[in-house]
C-alpha cells in the first residue's frame, strides 16, 4: 500500500453554497471531481496531521463510494484517525455531536439534505469545523479558491474497508474507527429531555407518528422513540433508509410529506406527527388538523424552554435567519433577551452559539436547534415538542393557539419558483435592486412601503461582512416581503419569495388569503411572470 499523488485540473463552479457543495450525482461521478473538492478542503486547513476527522452521510446513492475515497485521501493527507458511522451512516446532527464530544479536528458530511437522491438525484459534501458546525464563509470561500487552482491530490491505494462491522481498522497507518451511528447522539438527547415524562406520555396511550421519509433518521428514531421512549413498534414509518429515499423528496414540509399530512387529517390521525429530512437536520411538527410553521415552532420552543430540563435555567438569546418570521422576536422581547437576525444558512449561527449570545436558533425552512450542537437538529426539535406536550398535558393545537393569543400571529408563507433560467433569475434580482430606493412611501392598495433594502450582515463576533443576502421590502404595518435566490439547488436557479404579516387579534384567517395583498405586490414589483415565465410558484409552503 502506498500514497499516490495524482495530477488533476480544476472544475468550474465548485462553489459551496448555502450548505456545502451540491451537484447532481452525474457531476460528482466525473473523474477527480470529488477528489478535487476533498483535497481543497484539506488544503484549506492547517494542523490536522495526526488528528481525528468524523465522516458519515445520509446513505444516499454514491455515499458508500465517496466514503471510501475520502478515507483513502484522509490517510494520504496525514490524518491520524477517522471516525466513520457504521455503513457510512451519520445524520448531520450526529456528526456535529460526535465532533464536539470527542473534540475532533473537524468532520465531513455527505448529503444533499432535502434534495432527491438516487443515480439521477443529487449528492453533496460539507466540511464542519472543530466546533461541530458548518465551516464559516471565510473557510468556504477559501475552499472554493483552492478548488479553482488545484493541480494534484493525494490518495492511498489501500483496499476498501468493510464499514458494516463496528471496530478499529488500519489504513496506511491511519486508524479507521467504525462507530455506532446512533449511540452518542441518543445519549445527548437523553441528557436534554425528560425521557421518563415522555415515556409516561406514550404509556398513557398518546399516539405519535414519525415519518423518517426513508432517509437517515429511521435508525435514530427507532432507537430513541420506540426502544428508549417506549412508543409502540411501528410509530416510526418509512424507517429504512434507501439510496433514493423511495423515489420521494426527503423534505419535511406539507407539500412533500403528503402521506403524513393525509394521515394526520384522516379518520385515524394521531396526537402528534413529525417528519425529518434526508440528513436529519430538518423537522416538521404536525398536530391534529394543524401543521406548525417552522417560524412559530422556534418562537414556541423559546417561549416554553424552561419546561424542558436542558433549558430549565432559561435561554441566553435567540437567532433566526432573516427571512424567518418575526414571531421569535416578540418572544425575545417578552423574555428580555436579544434576537439576532442572520443570513440564510446554519453557518451564520456558529459564532453566536460559541460566544454564548444565543441558546436557540432557527430558520423558516423547517430547521431548529440549540447550543447543544452546531447544526440544526430534526429529532431534537421533535423531542422538545414531545417533552412540552408531556410537561403541559396540552395538545399541539392548544399550544399553538395559546401562543398566538398571547403574542399575536405571524401569517407566513414561502413561494418557490424552481429551476428557472439562471440569467433571468439574476436579472430579476438586478431589476429589484435598481428599484429599491424608489419604493419607500409607495402605496399598493392598503399597504404602504416603509423602506426597502438589500440585507447585509456583519457578524457581531468576528466582524466579517456578508453582502447581498436577500432583498427586503418593509411595510408600515410591519409586514415584509423578502426575495432571494437559493444556494442549494442543482438545476438553474430557484427564486424564493417570503411573506410575513403580523396580526395581533385576527388569528383565524386562511394563510394564503391573509397574505394575498403581499403576494400580488411581490408579483408586480419584481415582475415575476415577466422574468421567470411562471404565473404560479412551483412550491408553496
Ligand atoms: C435552503 C434553506 C436554508 C437552509 C438550507 C440548507 O437554502 O432555505 O434555510 O439552511 O437550505 O438546509 P437555500 O439557499 O436553498 O434557500 V438543508 O436541510 O438542505 O442542509
Ligand atoms: Co437537511
Amino acid at each position: 500500500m502506498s500514497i499516490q499523488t495524482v495530477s488533476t485540473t480544476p472544475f468550474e463552479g465548485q462553489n459551496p453554497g448555502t450548505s456545502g457543495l451540491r451537484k447532481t450525482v452525474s457531476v460528482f461521478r466525473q473523474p477527480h471531481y470529488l477528489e478535487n473538492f476533498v483535497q481543497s478542503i484539506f488544503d484549506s486547513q492547517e494542523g490536522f496531521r495526526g488528528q481525528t476527522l468524523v465522516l458519515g452521510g445520509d446513505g444516499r446513492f454514491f455515499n458508500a463510494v465517496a466514503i471510501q475515497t475520502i478515507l483513502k485521501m484522509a490517510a494520504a493527507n496525514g490524518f491520524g484517525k477517522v471516525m466513520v458511522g457504521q455503513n457510512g451512516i451519520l445524520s448531520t446532527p450526529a456528526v456535529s455531536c460526535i465532533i464536539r464530544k470527542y473534540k475532533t479536528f473537524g468532520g465531513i458530511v455527505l448529503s444533499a439534505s432535502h434534495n432527491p437522491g438516487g443515480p439521477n438525484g443529487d449528492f453533496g459534501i460539507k466540511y464542519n469545523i472543530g466546533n461541530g458546525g458548518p465551516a464559516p464563509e471565510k473557510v468556504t470561500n477559501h475552499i472554493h479558491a483552492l478548488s479553482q487552482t488545484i493541480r494534484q491530490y493525494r490518495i492511498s491505494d489501500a483496499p476498501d474497508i468493510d464499514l458494516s462491522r463496528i471496530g478499529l481498522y488500519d489504513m496506511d497507518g491511519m486508524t479507521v474507527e467504525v462507530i455506532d451511528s446512533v449511540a452518542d447522539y441518543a445519549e445527548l438527547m437523553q441528557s436534554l429531555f425528560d425521557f421518563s415524562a415522555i415515556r409516561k406520555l406514550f404509556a398513557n396511550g398518546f399516539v405519535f407518528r414519525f415519518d423518517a421519509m426513508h432517509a437517515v433518521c429511521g435508525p435514530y428514531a427507532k432507537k430513541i422513540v420506540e426502544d428508549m421512549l417506549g412508543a409502540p413498534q411501528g410509530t416510526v414509518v418509512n424507517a429504512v433508509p434507501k439510496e433514493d429515499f423511495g423515489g420521494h423528496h426527503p423534505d419535511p414540509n406539507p407539500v412533500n410529506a403528503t402521506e403524513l399530512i393525509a394521515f394526520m387529517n384522516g379518520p385515524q390521525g394521531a396526537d402528534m406527527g413529525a417528519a425529518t429530512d434526508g440528513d436529519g437536520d430538518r423537522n416538521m411538527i404536525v398536530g391534529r388538523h394543524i401543521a406548525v410553521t417552522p417560524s412559530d415552532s422556534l418562537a414556541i420552543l423559546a417561549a416554553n424552554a424552561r419546561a424542558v430540563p436542558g433549558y430549565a435555567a432559561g435561554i441566553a438569546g435567540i437567532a433566526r435567519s432573516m427571512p424567518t418570521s418575526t414571531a421569535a422576536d416578540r418572544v425575545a422581547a417578552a423574555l428580555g433577551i436579544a434576537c439576532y437576525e442572520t443570513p440564510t444558512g446554519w453557518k451564520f449561527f456558529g459564532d453566536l452559539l460559541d460566544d454564548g449570545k444565543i441558546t436557540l436558533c432557527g430558520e423558516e425552512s423547517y430547521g431548529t436547534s440549540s447550543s447543544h450542537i452546531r447544526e440544526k437538529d430534526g429529532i431534537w426539535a421533535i423531542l422538545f415538542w414531545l417533552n412540552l406536550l408531556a410537561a403541559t398535558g396540552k395538545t399541539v393545537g392548544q399550544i399553538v393557539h395559546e401562543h398566538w393569543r398571547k403574542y399575536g400571529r405571524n401569517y407566513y408563507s414561502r413561494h418557490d419558483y424552481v429551476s428557472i433560467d439562471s440569467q433571468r433569475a439574476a436579472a430579476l434580482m438586478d431589476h429589484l435592486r435598481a428599484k429599491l430606493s424608489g419604493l419607500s412611501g409607495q402605496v399598493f392598495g392598503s399597504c404602504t412601503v416603509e423602506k426597502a433594502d438589500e440585507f447585509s450582515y456583519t457578524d457581531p463576533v468576528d466582524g466579517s461582512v456578508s453582502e447581498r443576502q436577500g432583498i427586503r421590502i418593509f411595510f408600515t404595518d410591519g409586514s415584509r416581503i423578502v426575495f432571494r435566490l437559493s444556494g442549494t439547488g442543482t438545476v438553474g436557479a430557484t427564486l424564493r419569495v417570503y411573506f410575513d404579516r403580523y396580526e395581533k387579534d385576527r388569528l383565524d384567517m386562511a394563510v394564503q388569503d391573509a397574505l394575498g395583498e403581499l403576494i400580488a405586490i411581490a408579483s408586480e414589483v419584481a415582475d415575476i411572470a415577466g422574468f421567470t415565465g411562471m404565473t404560479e410558484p412551483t412550491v408553496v409552503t
Side-chain angles (χ1 to χ4, degrees):
M1 286 182 286
S2 64
I3 307 294
Q4 318 282 311
T5 300
V6 181
S7 295
T8 185
T9 49
F11 287 92
E12 278 291 311
Q14 288 202 319
N15 197 358
T18 315
S19 195
L21 180 70
R22 282 190 202 171
K23 298 284 173 192
T24 58
V25 166
S26 56
V27 169
F28 265 102
R29 281 172 132 178
Q30 298 171 86
H32 308 314
Y33 190 90
L34 173 71
E35 291 85 345
N36 275 10
F37 194 73
V38 172
Q39 188 64 53
S40 301
I41 292 173
F42 293 160
D43 289 347
S44 76
Q45 301 297 308
E46 273 169 28
F48 57 76
R49 183 156 286 278
Q51 303 284 309
T52 300
L53 184 74
V54 179
L55 176 61
D58 63 7
R60 68 177 61 220
F61 186 82
F62 200 59
N63 195 69
V65 176
I67 293 250
Q68 297 290 347
T69 302
I70 296 169
L71 284 174
K72 290 169 199 177
M73 291 186 67
N77 277 273
F79 276 93
K81 176 172 164 183
V82 176
M83 295 173 80
V84 54
Q86 189 175 16
N87 295 314
I89 296 284
L90 285 175
S91 73
T92 292
V95 169
S96 188
C97 157
I98 293 163
I99 293 174
R100 294 172 67 77
K101 179 169 176 180
Y102 298 100
K103 301 189 168 49
T104 72
F105 185 84
I108 289 181
V109 188
L110 300 174
S111 172
S113 189
H114 59 288
N115 297 25
N120 301 315
D122 292 340
F123 192 73
I125 175 167
K126 184 171 70 163
Y127 180 65
N128 282 24
I129 59 175
N131 74 353
E137 227 176 27
K138 52 180 183 292
V139 177
T140 54
N141 286 342
H142 189 196
I143 295 171
H144 176 51
L146 290 165
S147 76
Q148 290 185 307
T149 53
I150 187 164
R151 292 287 161 211
Q152 57 183 42
Y153 61 84
R154 283 179 294 287
I155 190 161
S156 155
D157 64 359
D160 284 1
I161 282 187
D162 176 6
L163 300 179
S164 66
R165 281 178 304 130
I166 289 172
L168 294 172
Y169 303 84
D170 174 77
M171 181 180 258
D172 254 338
M174 181 185 82
T175 304
V176 175
E177 183 179 2
V178 179
I179 59 171
D180 182 305
S181 308
V182 180
D184 294 307
Y185 178 79
E187 187 186 292
L188 177 60
M189 292 301 109
Q190 208 167 5
S191 75
L192 295 171
F193 299 108
D194 187 346
F195 271 36
S196 68
I198 304 175
R199 223 177 276 124
K200 256 186 229 137
L201 189 71
F202 288 132
N204 291 337
F206 180 90
V207 181
F208 177 46
R209 187 176 178 90
F210 187 120
D211 189 340
M213 302 188 88
H214 288 303
V216 78
C217 274
Y220 292 84
K222 281 233 139 248
K223 164 93 189 226
I224 295 170
V225 175
E226 294 182 1
D227 299 352
M228 297 169 77
L229 292 170
Q233 294 290 317
T235 297
V236 184
V237 298
N238 297 324
V240 178
K242 293 189 177 164
E243 283 202 329
D244 66 348
F245 308 116
H248 294 298
H249 216 120
D251 193 357
N253 63 39
V255 177
N256 289 312
T258 42
E259 207 182 298
L260 178 65
I261 296 289
F263 183 86
M264 292 301 292
N265 293 338
Q268 194 183 350
D271 297 306
M272 179 173 144
T276 44
D277 75 332
D279 61 331
D281 58 359
R282 295 187 179 203
N283 76 93
M284 176 174 69
I285 304 293
V286 201
R288 285 187 192 273
H289 304 283
I290 184 169
V292 185
T293 70
S295 299
D296 277 349
S297 181
L298 173 64
I300 289 167
L301 300 190
N304 296 288
R306 282 179 187 272
V308 169
Y311 309 91
I315 56 175
I318 312 173
R320 62 166 173 84
S321 68
M322 182 273 285
T324 301
S325 97
T326 56
D329 303 43
R330 264 172 277 282
V331 174
L335 294 174
I337 56 176
C339 185
Y340 296 85
E341 188 177 42
T342 58
T344 296
W346 213 262
K347 57 187 162 193
F348 295 101
F349 294 133
D351 272 0
L352 298 171
L353 290 162
D354 284 351
D355 206 51
K357 288 188 163 22
I358 61 167
T359 307
L360 298 188
C361 44
E363 297 191 274
E364 54 66 42
S365 53
Y366 296 82
T368 347
S369 194
S370 86
S371 52
H372 69 292
I373 55 169
R374 295 292 179 272
E375 286 279 6
K376 53 187 187 258
D377 190 342
I379 289 182
W380 171 89
I382 292 162
L383 292 174
F384 204 129
W385 270 92
L386 285 170
N387 198 150
L388 273 190
L389 300 184
T392 60
K394 292 176 185 164
T395 65
V396 173
Q398 279 171 329
I399 289 188
V400 173
H401 282 97
E402 282 175 17
H403 188 89
W404 290 342
R405 278 198 291 280
K406 182 164 177 194
Y407 293 95
R409 177 175 180 186
N410 280 78
Y411 288 93
Y412 189 84
S413 182
R414 184 175 104 185
H415 290 195
D416 293 337
Y417 297 79
V418 177
S419 297
I420 53 184
D421 178 82
S422 300
Q423 284 179 353
R424 306 286 295 162
L428 180 149
M429 294 302 280
D430 283 341
H431 165 79
L432 270 175
R433 231 166 247 132
K435 275 188 164 180
L436 285 181
S437 56
L439 282 174
S440 302
Q442 276 200 37
V443 179
F444 298 87
S446 69
C447 304
T448 305
V449 176
E450 186 182 298
K451 60 172 184 172
D453 68 8
E454 184 157 28
F455 183 51
S456 154
Y457 177 68
T458 304
D459 187 306
V461 180
D462 72 5
S464 60
V465 177
S466 303
E467 280 170 336
R468 294 200 160 192
Q469 297 295 329
I471 288 176
R472 315 186 281 189
I473 305 177
F474 297 90
F475 296 87
T476 49
D477 70 348
S479 298
R480 292 185 306 161
I481 306 173
V482 175
F483 300 85
R484 59 178 284 282
L485 299 182
S486 159
T488 59
T490 55
V491 183
T494 289
L495 170 70
R496 302 201 195 285
V497 192
Y498 309 80
F499 303 98
D500 182 11
R501 170 181 164 193
Y502 175 69
E503 283 286 341
K504 182 81 197 79
D505 301 308
R506 298 171 66 197
L507 304 177
D508 291 310
M509 290 183 272
V511 176
Q512 300 302 317
D513 292 345
L515 298 172
E517 231 180 334
L518 294 177
I519 293 167
I521 296 170
S523 299
E524 181 186 334
V525 173
D527 188 12
I528 296 178
F531 281 100
T532 67
M534 294 165 130
T535 50
E536 296 290 330
T538 326
V539 183
V540 173
T541 50

